[in-house]
């Protein structure tokens, strides 16, 4: 029986070039999608661009271009990064300005409204345009958002539509209690459960069209546009053509264990707000929410242009190659706690683990094999339980550790047995050793397929053809600088 797996990232808010945090989320999700495909699942992998909202509208006005032209440019930059990370061809890409998404967002609104969970009222609130979220005084420092201290807090004083978030406290807590791994890691599940237990406040889900014309129109009320979060969250089902294509939705959402990758700053939106919205629309909840830790600069300092510690993943890819970037983000950035990355740390990793490690092993071993071995009978062994468990628990860092331990073991064995010397005195014994090492290299290639697909395929091809790769897997380079 065919198994289905639905996976989505958050949709980056395209008000600027994508950054290293986006790259981490995309690469991790891509690895999971590829691994699930290897396990025999029919995988639907979704991502895209969040293109509405006040921040985008104001940025476009500052540049004196239309919001559509502005998002077209930035979405093109996002697709470039996805292509450079070897992800673009594996995904279904949706934009929140797509007509089918707008139709879904409006149909979802109508469903929630008809169910009695949307109402209209006058209110006054503090609002951070940078976060596109309302802020309480306890969340502000000197009346500034801690994440966007350069932006003035705005005061909203108008009549808007509200979502009855407060009605879902018990149901959300029941969801968390019934699925202790609904949010991964556990510390984030505890965090969101604590947030919900403290009490939920209804939140505004519309803006006056006269003040914010760049958004999805509210059904049956042209004076309002949808709040960007309410609009964007529905992209996870608009990609499945809900509600028109009920079969597609049934296959991938109801039966496909919908799994969400997102950053630490999206915990509330994905694991509480979106889940309550699904409940309000009588739709099944997500299956699992995976929360990434923050990527930082040297010394754990948050990345910012002002500090000058921002890492551009596209520049790294252009200099070191796609798989080098994928490898670093997967092995050297902790999935939950986050980790620092600098151009210097990347350079040291590249030389130590890729050039001198995997690359050198492949070159020296295939040189021996091509010279001394006529035929090799390869076995397509499956990943053992340890490796599969690492992958299915989203610990790609440990999966990489597992592979590099095999690499280290082969290096030690070659140093100890010296088949390049033994071939002169005990040729058959030396050939058996080489065949064994080549089989292990082939297994490494198979294990690397979801992690470093280009490198993996180059290794597999070299082994099958019994030839040293014409081009080194990882070319030695000078330290990168900008």
């Amino acid at each position: 029986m065919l198994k289905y797996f639905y996976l989505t990232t958050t949709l980056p808010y395209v008000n600027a070039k994508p950054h290293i945090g986006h790259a981490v989320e995309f690469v991790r999700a891509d690895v999971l999608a590829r691994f699930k495909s290897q396990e025999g699942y029919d995988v639907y992998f979704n991502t895209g661009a969040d293109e509405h909202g006040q921040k985008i509208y104001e940025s476009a006005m500052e540049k004196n271009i239309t919001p559509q032209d502005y998002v077209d440019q930035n979405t093109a930059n996002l697709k470039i990064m996805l292509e450079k990370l070897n992800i673009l061809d594996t995904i279904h890409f949706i934009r929140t300005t797509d007509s089918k998404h707008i139709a879904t967002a409006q149909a979802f609104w109508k469903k929630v409204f008809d169910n009695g969970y949307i109402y209209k009222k006058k209110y006054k609130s503090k609002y951070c345009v940078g976060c596109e979220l309302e802020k309480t005084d306890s969340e502000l420092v000197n009346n500034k958002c801690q994440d966007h201290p350069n932006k003035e807090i705005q005061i909203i004083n108008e009549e808007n539509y509200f979502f009855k978030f407060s009605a879902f406290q018990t149901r959300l807590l029941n969801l968390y209690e019934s699925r202790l791994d609904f949010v991964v890691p556990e510390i984030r599940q505890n965090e969101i459960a604590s947030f919900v237990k403290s009490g939920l406040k209804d939140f505004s889900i519309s803006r006056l069209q006269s003040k914010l014309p760049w958004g999805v129109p509210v059904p049956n009320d042209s004076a309002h546009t949808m709040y960007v979060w309410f609009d964007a969250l529905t992209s996870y089902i608009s990609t499945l053509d809900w509600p028109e294509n009920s079969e597609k939705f049934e296959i991938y959402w109801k039966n496909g264990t919908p799994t969400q990758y997102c950053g630490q700053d999206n915990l509330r939106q994905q694991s509480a707000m979106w889940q309550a919205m699904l409940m309000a629309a009588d739709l099944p909840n997500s299956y699992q929410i995976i929360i990434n830790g923050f990527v930082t600069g040297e010394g754990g300092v948050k990345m910012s242009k002002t500090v000058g510690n921002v890492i551009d993943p596209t520049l790294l890819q252009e200099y070191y190659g796609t798989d080098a970037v994928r490898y670093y983000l997967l092995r050297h950035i902790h999935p939950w706690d986050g980790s620092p990355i600098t151009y210097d740390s990347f350079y040291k990793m590249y030389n130590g683990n890729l050039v001198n490690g995997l690359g050198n092993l492949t070159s020296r071993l295939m040189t021996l094999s091509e010279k001394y071995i006529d035929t090799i009978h390869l076995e397509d062994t499956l990943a053992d339980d340890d490796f599969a468990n690492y992958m299915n628990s989203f610990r790609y860092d440990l999966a990489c550790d597992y592979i590099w331990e095999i690499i280290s073991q082969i290096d030690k064995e070659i140093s100890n047995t010296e088949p390049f010397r033994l071939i002169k005195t005990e040729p058959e014994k030396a050939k058996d050793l080489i065949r064994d090492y080549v089989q292990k290299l082939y297994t490494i290639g198979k294990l690397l397929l979801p992690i470093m697909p280009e490198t993996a395929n180059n290794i597999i091809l070299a082994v099958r053809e019994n030839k040293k790769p014409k081009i080194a897997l990882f070319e030695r380079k000078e330290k990168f600088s900008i």
Side-chain angles (χ1 to χ4, degrees):
M1 182 178 177
L2 189 61
K3 301 177 291 184
Y4 298 96
F5 185 74
Y6 175 92
L7 176 66
T8 186
T9 71
T10 50
L11 273 59
Y13 198 62
V14 290
N15 66 307
K17 284 183 66 177
H19 53 67
I20 198 76
H22 294 128
V24 169
E25 183 174 324
F26 289 134
V27 170
R28 287 177 180 166
D30 180 67
V31 170
L32 181 58
R34 290 175 187 268
F35 185 71
K36 286 296 183 183
S37 293
Q38 287 182 348
E39 287 192 317
Y41 286 84
D42 175 350
V43 176
Y44 192 103
F45 179 18
N46 173 67
T47 191
D50 181 359
E51 300 184 332
H52 289 128
Q54 188 170 350
K55 186 161 48 175
I56 281 175
Y57 180 73
E58 290 181 358
S59 297
M61 295 301 100
E62 289 174 5
K63 293 181 178 295
N64 198 30
I65 60 175
T66 67
Q68 187 64 59
D69 286 341
Y70 181 73
V71 296
D72 285 347
Q73 293 172 13
N74 286 336
T75 296
N77 289 330
L78 173 60
K79 285 189 171 183
I80 288 171
M81 188 184 79
L82 291 170
E83 183 175 24
K84 289 182 179 295
L85 292 173
N86 198 6
I87 295 172
L88 191 60
D89 292 339
T90 68
I91 58 174
H92 297 268
F93 192 94
I94 190 162
R95 302 174 61 176
T96 58
T97 52
D98 290 344
S99 58
K100 78 169 185 177
H101 169 76
I102 293 172
T104 291
Q106 292 178 323
F108 189 90
W109 178 289
K110 289 177 183 176
K111 179 75 172 177
V112 176
F113 183 88
D114 290 344
N115 285 348
Y117 294 110
I118 293 177
Y119 63 95
K120 205 174 186 181
K121 77 167 186 178
K122 291 183 178 180
Y123 82 116
K124 185 176 182 180
S125 177
K126 294 181 178 180
Y127 185 79
C128 172
V129 174
C131 296
E132 295 280 9
L133 287 172
E134 294 174 19
K135 296 289 180 177
T136 62
D137 288 336
S138 64
E139 295 175 301
L140 303 176
V141 176
N142 296 324
N143 204 38
K144 298 281 188 177
C145 171
Q146 297 179 59
D147 293 328
H148 301 92
N150 296 327
K151 290 188 175 292
E152 293 294 328
I153 291 294
Q154 296 191 2
I155 303 298
I156 297 175
N157 188 3
E158 59 189 40
E159 186 177 47
N160 288 162
Y161 286 95
F162 275 72
F163 174 66
K164 287 185 179 179
F165 196 30
S166 58
F168 294 93
Q169 181 180 29
T170 300
R171 290 179 65 180
L172 285 171
L173 291 174
N174 288 340
L175 172 63
Y176 306 148
E177 290 169 6
S178 66
R179 283 288 317 281
L180 298 180
D181 62 347
F182 177 72
V183 179
V184 178
E186 182 181 6
I187 188 174
R188 300 302 169 208
Q189 172 118 333
N190 293 338
E191 184 179 336
I192 195 61
S194 177
F195 166 77
V196 173
K197 284 178 184 176
S198 68
L200 300 177
K201 293 183 178 180
D202 299 349
F203 59 87
S204 169
I205 57 172
S206 77
R207 297 291 182 266
L208 288 174
Q209 197 275 343
S210 59
K211 294 182 179 179
L212 181 60
W214 185 244
V216 177
V218 168
N220 303 318
D221 192 342
S222 59
H224 288 261
T225 54
M226 288 186 196
Y227 167 56
V228 64
W229 276 106
F230 194 94
D231 150 27
L233 289 168
T234 62
S235 64
Y236 309 140
I237 59 174
S238 66
T239 187
L240 299 174
D241 302 327
W242 182 88
E244 286 80 8
N245 194 332
S246 58
E247 181 181 2
K248 191 175 181 181
F249 181 78
E250 182 90 19
I251 289 172
Y252 290 108
W253 190 271
K254 289 188 176 180
N255 299 322
T257 56
T259 300
Q260 168 83 50
Y261 249 109
C262 67
Q264 192 173 319
D265 53 350
N266 260 251
L267 174 65
R268 186 185 306 182
Q269 293 91 323
Q270 307 301 334
S271 58
M273 290 166 60
W274 172 230
Q275 303 311 314
M277 288 164 58
L278 287 166
M279 292 171 180
D282 298 323
L283 296 178
N285 286 105
S286 303
Y287 175 76
Q288 200 162 42
I289 313 294
I290 311 163
I291 307 292
N292 289 312
F294 288 131
V295 182
T296 62
E298 189 171 8
V301 177
K302 185 175 180 181
M303 286 191 180
S304 76
K305 292 179 181 178
T306 303
V307 175
N309 62 351
V310 173
I311 301 294
D312 188 332
T314 301
L315 294 180
L316 284 175
Q317 183 278 334
E318 290 172 348
Y319 189 72
Y320 290 107
T322 297
D323 276 358
V325 174
R326 289 174 66 101
Y327 164 80
Y328 190 101
L329 299 182
L330 292 166
R331 189 181 185 193
H332 297 283
I333 304 294
H334 192 279
W336 318 137
D337 303 333
S339 304
I341 178 175
T342 65
Y343 289 117
D344 186 57
S345 67
F346 197 101
Y347 170 75
K348 291 177 180 177
M349 170 284 302
Y350 178 81
N351 278 315
N353 296 351
L354 298 181
V355 177
N356 297 332
L358 178 59
N360 184 55
L361 174 65
T362 302
S363 177
R364 68 193 289 215
L365 190 49
M366 291 315 301
T367 297
L368 282 173
S369 184
E370 184 177 358
K371 186 174 182 179
Y372 297 114
I373 305 300
D374 293 327
T375 58
I376 299 178
H377 301 289
L378 299 169
E379 295 182 11
D380 281 312
T381 55
L382 298 174
D384 67 17
D385 289 342
D386 286 342
F387 183 82
N389 286 338
Y390 293 145
M391 296 294 281
N392 281 315
S393 60
F394 324 115
R395 291 305 304 267
Y396 313 124
D397 55 334
L398 299 181
C400 288
D401 287 347
Y402 178 97
I403 295 170
W404 258 259
E405 180 59 31
I406 299 174
I407 294 170
S408 177
Q409 288 174 357
I410 299 173
D411 273 329
K412 289 177 182 177
E413 289 178 24
I414 292 175
S415 296
N416 291 333
T417 60
E418 296 185 322
F420 47 88
R421 296 186 191 277
L422 192 63
I423 197 74
K424 298 174 183 179
T425 57
E426 298 182 65
E428 292 308 314
K429 182 177 180 180
K431 289 179 182 181
D432 286 342
L433 286 170
I434 294 170
R435 289 190 184 97
D436 179 58
Y437 300 149
V438 170
Q439 172 63 54
K440 290 177 179 177
L441 180 64
Y442 184 68
T443 300
I444 289 170
K446 289 288 188 176
L447 294 176
L448 281 173
L449 275 169
I451 296 168
M452 303 167 70
E454 290 181 5
T455 300
N457 282 313
N458 285 335
I459 291 172
I460 291 168
L461 180 62
V463 171
R464 286 176 176 169
E465 293 184 346
N466 197 27
K467 291 182 179 180
K468 176 184 175 182
K470 293 180 180 179
I471 301 175
L473 295 183
F474 302 98
E475 296 180 358
R476 196 170 299 278
K477 294 178 178 291
E478 298 296 323
K479 186 179 293 187
F480 175 79
S481 60
I482 54 174

